[in-house]
């Protein structure tokens, strides 16, 4: 009987083992170098996607329910407003002082009056509109108390919505108007310039007031992914955080944005999403620099890892995202890509 001898497999030489170890070590080092940046990018993209989804959901609810809906970015530390949590919000049902129009005695009926002065004589806080005066007239004392910062003025005949961002003051009526009634002069985030055309006065008896936003019933707070935030500091997000309260972004029943109730101001909304652990402070004032046109400031921003902007268009309320533009010889505007996004169709 012939037995076949097993063929022995040659072993690994020491050189071959060292080469394999060297290759594995090199690959591990490359992975360790690249993995953090990939994870940072993934977290930023996830945070931007979530924030876009919250805003788009709110806009869709406003269109569906025909009531103002939005998102409240919760601020825990007003001295450094880095938001990691949000809450869906709504405005209470409309309060209409005078749904039937002027009636037989228009001087005694509730109405909204716009007066554009020339030359400008009235100034106010951000977004008030130099030379523009808006007065809600002929309200009962109880009705006047419901006109607050954060309320929304609805003008159905013009199809426009206006966020109230300032109260100049309630005024008692003078004769021949009813002395028991009050007028409230308000500052708005935007004025009906297009509807007024070349006119300097406009009075409407058809108007409504939505109350200040409140948390949407049954909707728990929502969280951004770990190690991400929305930085609301001045010089980072726009319009910047005013220093008190939370940061509300509201959509009208038409779908258009009512801007941020806290800050007011015309224009678009840019929300800066970043990792707060990379760089604790990013506004020029916090870093101790005079302005953003500074190379040291730009380097500080870049050290913050992967960063993006969530953009809300001023008129349409459309929501999108854009990367940060790191300044070069062509421009020093970090919002360059975001501005191009909102300028498009």
């Amino acid at each position: 009987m012939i037995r076949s001898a097993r063929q022995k497999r040659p072993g690994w030489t020491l050189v071959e083992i060292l080469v394999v170890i060297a290759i594995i070590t090199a690959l591990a080092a490359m992975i360790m170098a690249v993995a953090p940046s990939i994870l940072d990018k993934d977290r930023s993209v996830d945070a931007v996607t979530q924030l876009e989804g919250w805003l788009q959901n709110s806009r869709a609810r406003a269109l569906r329910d025909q009531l103002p809906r939005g998102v409240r970015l919760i601020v825990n530390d007003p001295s450094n407003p880095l938001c990691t949590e949000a809450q869906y919000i709504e405005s209470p049902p409309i309060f209409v002082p005078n749904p039937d129009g002027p009636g037989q005695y228009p001087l005694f009926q509730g109405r909204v009056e716009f007066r554009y002065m020339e030359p400008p004589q009235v100034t106010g806080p951000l977004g008030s509109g130099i030379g523009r005066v808006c007065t809600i007239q002929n309200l009962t004392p109880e009705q006047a108390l419901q006109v607050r910062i954060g309320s929304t003025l609805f003008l159905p005949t013009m199809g426009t919505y206006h966020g109230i961002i300032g109260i100049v003051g309630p005024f008692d009526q003078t004769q021949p108007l009813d002395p028991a009634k009050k007028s409230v002069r308000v500052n708005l985030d935007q004025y009906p310039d297009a509807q007024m055309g070349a006119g300097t006065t406009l009075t409407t008896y058809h108007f409504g007031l939505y109350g200040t936003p409140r948390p949407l019933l049954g909707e728990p707070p929502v969280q951004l992914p770990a190690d991400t935030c929305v930085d609301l500091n001045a010089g980072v997000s726009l319009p910047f955080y005013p220093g008190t309260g939370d940061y509300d972004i509201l959509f009208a029943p038409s779908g258009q944005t009512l801007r941020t109730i806290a800050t007011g101001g015309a224009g678009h909304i840019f929300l800066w999403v970043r990792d707060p652990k990379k760089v604790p402070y990013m506004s020029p004032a916090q870093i101790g620099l005079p302005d953003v046109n500074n190379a040291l400031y730009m380097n500080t921003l870049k050290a913050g890892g992967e960063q993006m902007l969530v953009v809300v268009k001023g008129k349409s309320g459309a929501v999108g995202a854009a990367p940060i533009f790191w300044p070069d010889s062509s421009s020093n505007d970090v919002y360059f890509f975001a501005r191009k996004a909102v300028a498009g169709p």
Side-chain angles (χ1 to χ4, degrees):
M1 181 176 184
I2 303 174
R3 296 182 180 178
S4 59
R6 287 186 181 179
Q7 186 176 1
K8 291 187 177 180
R9 184 179 175 215
W12 295 92
T13 67
L14 178 60
V15 173
E16 290 173 329
I17 293 173
L18 291 176
V19 169
V20 170
I21 292 174
I23 292 173
I24 293 173
T25 303
L27 290 174
M30 291 175 60
I31 293 172
M32 292 295 291
V34 174
S37 61
I38 294 175
L39 293 175
D40 285 347
K41 186 171 183 179
D42 286 345
R43 281 196 298 267
S44 297
V45 170
D46 288 346
V48 166
T49 300
Q50 284 193 19
L51 185 54
E52 283 184 289
W54 299 341
L55 293 166
Q56 289 167 346
N57 287 343
S58 296
R59 184 174 182 272
R61 285 173 170 172
L63 289 166
R64 180 196 66 191
D65 301 339
Q66 285 300 288
L67 288 169
R69 299 284 187 261
V71 172
R72 171 170 293 163
L73 298 178
I74 298 172
V75 176
N76 294 318
D77 181 6
S79 66
N80 188 27
L82 306 179
C83 299
T84 61
E85 186 179 18
Q87 173 76 60
Y88 285 112
I89 56 175
E90 63 176 351
S91 285
I94 197 167
F95 152 62
V96 185
N98 188 36
D100 299 323
Q104 188 175 359
Y105 303 103
L107 290 179
F108 294 90
Q109 300 300 321
R111 60 185 183 179
V112 177
E113 180 185 85
F114 291 94
R115 287 188 295 117
Y116 284 16
M117 296 182 176
E118 191 66 40
Q121 300 176 28
V122 176
T123 59
L126 181 66
S128 64
I130 295 176
R132 297 169 172 85
V133 177
C134 175
T135 309
I136 306 174
Q137 300 179 347
N138 293 329
L139 301 177
T140 66
E142 293 77 16
Q143 292 170 341
L145 289 174
Q146 297 188 56
V147 183
R148 303 173 183 172
I149 294 176
S151 301
T152 299
L153 176 64
F154 172 45
L155 304 177
T157 56
M158 291 185 281
T160 57
Y161 298 82
H162 309 267
I164 296 177
I165 62 169
I167 304 292
V168 179
F171 305 98
D172 294 334
Q173 303 284 29
T174 58
Q175 296 297 338
L177 302 180
D178 187 346
K181 297 294 183 66
K182 290 184 177 293
S183 292
V184 182
R185 186 171 296 169
V186 297
N187 292 324
L188 305 177
D189 65 344
Q190 54 185 329
Y191 287 79
D193 294 0
Q195 289 76 12
M196 290 184 66
T200 58
T201 62
L202 185 149
T203 300
T204 178
Y205 295 88
H206 297 279
F207 68 97
L209 283 166
Y210 293 98
T212 54
R214 63 191 181 190
L216 193 61
L217 185 64
E219 289 287 347
V222 287
Q223 301 279 342
L224 287 174
D227 297 334
T228 61
C229 74
V230 178
D231 191 332
L232 297 177
N233 279 291
V236 184
S237 290
L238 296 176
F240 61 83
Y241 176 69
T244 57
D246 295 320
Y247 192 92
D248 291 353
I249 302 171
L250 208 62
F251 296 93
S254 63
Q256 73 187 71
T257 175
L258 290 170
R259 314 297 195 266
T260 51
I261 291 299
T263 61
H268 311 291
I269 300 171
F270 299 151
L271 300 173
W272 194 301
V273 179
R274 68 179 187 89
D275 181 351
K277 291 186 177 180
K278 297 283 186 180
V279 179
Y281 303 105
M282 294 192 69
S283 71
Q286 291 172 322
I287 299 172
L289 298 174
D291 53 45
V292 297
N293 298 318
N294 184 294
L296 178 58
Y297 178 64
M298 285 299 118
N299 291 334
T300 302
L301 291 185
K302 289 181 181 180
E306 189 71 25
Q307 302 165 68
M308 295 184 70
L309 289 167
V310 171
V311 182
V312 184
K313 286 193 175 184
K315 290 186 178 179
S316 68
V319 179
I324 306 297
F325 179 81
W326 300 117
D328 56 20
S329 58
S330 63
S331 174
N332 61 0
D333 181 11
V334 292
Y335 311 101
F336 178 76
F337 290 136
R339 296 190 203 282
K340 285 189 67 175
V342 296

